[in-house]
Amino acid sequence: MELEKQAAQLARIRTKLGQALRKDAEFAEFGASSHQYKLDEKLTAGKLADWEARYGVKLPEPFARFLTEIGNGGAGPYYGIYPLAQATSYTELPALQGRAALHPGMTAEEWNLLTEPLTGERDISDEEYEEARNKALGGMLCIGTQGCEYEMYLVLEGEHRGRIVYTSEFFPDRPFFFVYEDNFLDWYERWLDEIILDYDNAWFGSRLPGDENTLIQLYRNTPDGKLQVKALEAMFKFKRIAPSTLEFLSNVAGQGSRDSNTAISLLCKTSFAAGSPYLLKLLQSDDAEGALHALTILHTYGKNEDRTEFIPLIRQRLEGINDAETLRYAGYILKDCDAMDFRDFAPFLCHASLDIKTTAVYAVRDCRNKQENWEIIEQMFRTGGTEVLRSTILHWDVIPHEKLLPYYKAVWPEYKRNPNFREKFAACLRELHLPDDYLG
């Protein structure tokens, strides 16, 4: 029965590969330009048997059938699936033949204990490092890459045999991630389905599977709060949503619950007009965290929208901002909307916090009226120290005003041998009709 089910699934996959190629003919999906939906020549049953005998490993049936009936690598999630020989070359033999140490419910504490030799501060030999690494990656085959430090592994033994695991570097408190499907073919077919359905596929497999209605029903019916959060977060894969989903998200957003901000983000991603009233409410509230969330949404999903109505509220909130992250996003939006005023940022340029000072320096980098506000800059230089001065030289160039020259003269030795920065200083001196050697 299972073999018949797999045969039907393999037939669907063959059909869907063609549909995915037609849907993404320009190879716009992440990694598609690498594999172009092409498959390598199928692996013969004999060669697969030789490989399994050589390494003493039996591949999970769904993956083995993919290699022998679909293709020995090629088209697949991210940069595609490795041919078996390449996958083997990227997997150390002790790990390939080892016991699987990872499991879906692994806690941060378990992970830290397993990887302590790899992440701890104590020096260990290369042999000890390889032994610890192979133990962490034991019982798995590296079948593809997501780019950077992210890889995809297939579990070869134990309770979770056949599952796909996404890995990254050995960071503390970050266990590897098991995708939701039970086997390779289910995972692979879901990838094709989501391309055909035109979902946002950038982080394929990291979110719950399911269409809009499935995820809504899961959110409504599960008593598990963590699963509710995952159901909502999975909706970020949708580029467009139905009116019924819009209504559902509006209800969640309006409840002021734990999930309100996620629902507002989803509304603004798919229908900015539907989410705007909630953003306005957050910006008008006394909730500093909610205001930061509103600003991040405005920056992320509002770039191509008319944000005029938000500008007065953002200016009004500037007076109460006391953290660099909120200031950063306020600056992004004001700059994008051509609503930046240098003097609005004066309190932050002269703030006691170095982080807030440097954030403000970057925020006003394109303001054209710096020279006429030299008093503010002089106060900032006087109280901010050399690091703030360096930040302004990097982002603003050198402001031509005689009252600022003593500060520039003090740091000139750091820059005079760098031709790019030397020209910034020279331009300032020319505008002030001073000789090139004025600074020494």
Side-chain angles (χ1 to χ4, degrees):
M1 191 69 169
E2 184 62 29
L3 292 179
E4 292 177 4
K5 179 183 174 183
Q6 286 180 10
Q9 187 170 31
L10 289 164
R12 290 197 306 271
I13 285 172
R14 292 188 194 97
T15 299
K16 289 177 180 180
L17 276 163
Q19 293 174 339
L21 174 57
R22 289 191 291 275
K23 184 71 176 181
D24 185 29
E26 301 298 323
F27 307 131
E29 293 290 343
F30 182 85
S33 61
S34 176
H35 58 71
Q36 298 185 3
Y37 301 97
K38 296 176 182 177
L39 292 158
D40 294 346
E41 184 178 347
K42 289 180 283 189
L43 194 68
T44 66
K47 287 185 177 180
L48 175 60
D50 289 344
W51 183 92
E52 291 181 335
R54 177 180 179 183
Y55 293 103
V57 173
K58 183 76 172 174
L59 290 178
E61 185 70 20
F63 184 62
R65 293 194 69 175
F66 178 87
L67 296 178
T68 57
E69 299 183 43
I70 298 294
N72 181 22
Y78 298 94
Y79 288 101
I81 305 301
Y82 290 147
L84 185 57
Q86 185 177 2
T88 309
S89 72
Y90 289 157
T91 309
E92 296 291 334
L93 186 59
L96 184 68
Q97 298 177 336
R99 299 292 303 274
L102 306 182
H103 60 87
M106 178 172 271
T107 64
E109 290 74 20
E110 290 177 292
W111 169 253
N112 292 343
L113 183 63
L114 176 67
T115 59
E116 190 278 330
L118 304 169
T119 61
E121 295 182 359
R122 63 187 179 91
D123 291 331
I124 60 175
S125 67
D126 291 344
E127 291 78 12
E128 289 175 307
Y129 183 90
E130 287 301 317
E131 182 180 355
R133 185 179 187 277
N134 289 333
K135 182 178 179 181
L137 298 175
M140 301 195 301
L141 175 69
C142 183
I143 62 168
T145 182
Q146 297 170 309
C148 299
E149 79 267 17
Y150 296 93
E151 314 293 339
M152 301 179 291
Y153 279 78
L154 175 72
V155 181
L156 300 176
E157 75 90 38
E159 180 184 354
H160 305 290
R161 172 178 163 83
R163 295 282 296 274
I164 303 295
V165 180
Y166 292 170
T167 75
S168 61
E169 295 291 345
F170 297 100
F171 297 112
D173 302 324
R174 283 174 52 182
F176 291 168
F177 175 75
F178 279 72
V179 303
Y180 295 95
E181 288 72 27
D182 291 328
N183 63 71
F184 175 87
L185 290 180
D186 286 352
W187 171 74
Y188 191 91
E189 186 175 17
R190 178 189 167 191
W191 169 67
L192 293 170
D193 287 338
E194 295 197 357
I195 290 172
I196 295 165
L197 291 168
D198 195 28
Y199 289 175
D200 184 345
N201 227 17
W203 288 103
F204 167 74
S206 61
R207 298 180 179 127
L208 278 172
D211 59 17
E212 294 172 53
N213 186 60
T214 299
L215 294 171
I216 288 172
Q217 294 309 314
L218 176 61
Y219 182 89
R220 286 174 170 164
N221 296 328
T222 182
D224 185 338
K226 291 183 179 179
L227 191 54
Q228 283 186 315
V229 170
K230 288 183 178 180
L232 271 187
E233 290 177 344
M235 294 186 183
F236 280 104
K237 67 188 176 186
F238 303 133
K239 296 178 182 178
R240 295 164 295 278
I241 57 175
S244 57
T245 306
L246 206 63
E247 182 180 357
F248 161 75
L249 292 172
S250 296
N251 288 335
V252 176
Q255 290 172 2
S257 65
R258 169 203 63 203
D259 301 324
S260 293
N261 286 344
T262 303
I264 295 169
S265 294
L266 285 163
L267 283 171
C268 291
K269 179 181 185 291
T270 52
S271 174
F272 191 78
S276 289
Y278 300 100
L279 295 180
L280 289 167
K281 186 176 180 180
L282 284 174
L283 287 172
Q284 290 169 329
S285 74
D286 294 329
D287 180 5
E289 187 175 337
L292 173 57
H293 190 77
L295 291 171
T296 58
I297 295 172
L298 274 171
H299 176 64
T300 304
Y301 300 121
K303 288 183 178 179
N304 298 318
E305 308 290 341
D306 182 2
R307 293 177 286 183
T308 304
E309 65 179 323
F310 296 96
I311 299 305
L313 289 174
I314 295 173
R315 286 188 180 281
Q316 185 177 336
R317 286 207 75 97
L318 282 176
E319 298 178 7
I321 291 177
N322 55 19
D323 69 285
E325 190 72 356
T326 303
L327 183 66
R328 181 174 295 110
Y329 280 98
Y332 290 155
I333 297 163
L334 291 173
K335 178 183 178 298
D336 289 346
C337 296
D338 197 24
M340 180 70 71
D341 188 312
F342 188 90
R343 300 195 71 85
D344 286 343
F345 280 73
F348 306 110
L349 292 168
C350 301
H351 200 277
S353 164
L354 177 61
D355 195 15
I356 288 179
K357 277 192 181 81
T358 54
T359 298
V361 165
Y362 184 77
V364 300
R365 63 195 180 281
D366 292 330
C367 286
R368 300 181 181 277
N369 58 341
K370 298 186 188 75
Q371 188 173 357
E372 64 191 63
N373 287 293
W374 67 268
E375 297 100 332
I376 297 171
I377 299 172
E378 198 274 336
Q379 182 183 350
M380 177 182 65
F381 285 173
R382 189 172 63 251
T383 61
T386 306
E387 188 167 345
V388 173
L389 178 55
R390 292 192 188 106
S391 183
T392 66
I393 294 170
L394 176 65
H395 296 300
W396 295 0
D397 295 336
V398 179
I399 308 303
H401 196 283
E402 59 182 12
K403 294 292 186 180
L404 304 179
L405 287 176
Y407 301 96
Y408 291 132
K409 189 170 185 177
V411 297
W412 166 242
E414 297 180 30
Y415 295 95
K416 63 182 180 180
R417 290 181 178 83
N418 185 309
N420 294 327
F421 285 104
R422 190 167 61 239
E423 175 53 33
K424 292 183 179 185
F425 283 87
C428 168
L429 295 176
R430 285 196 297 271
E431 185 161 342
L432 294 175
H433 306 291
L434 294 170
D436 290 345
D437 60 355
Y438 179 84
L439 297 174

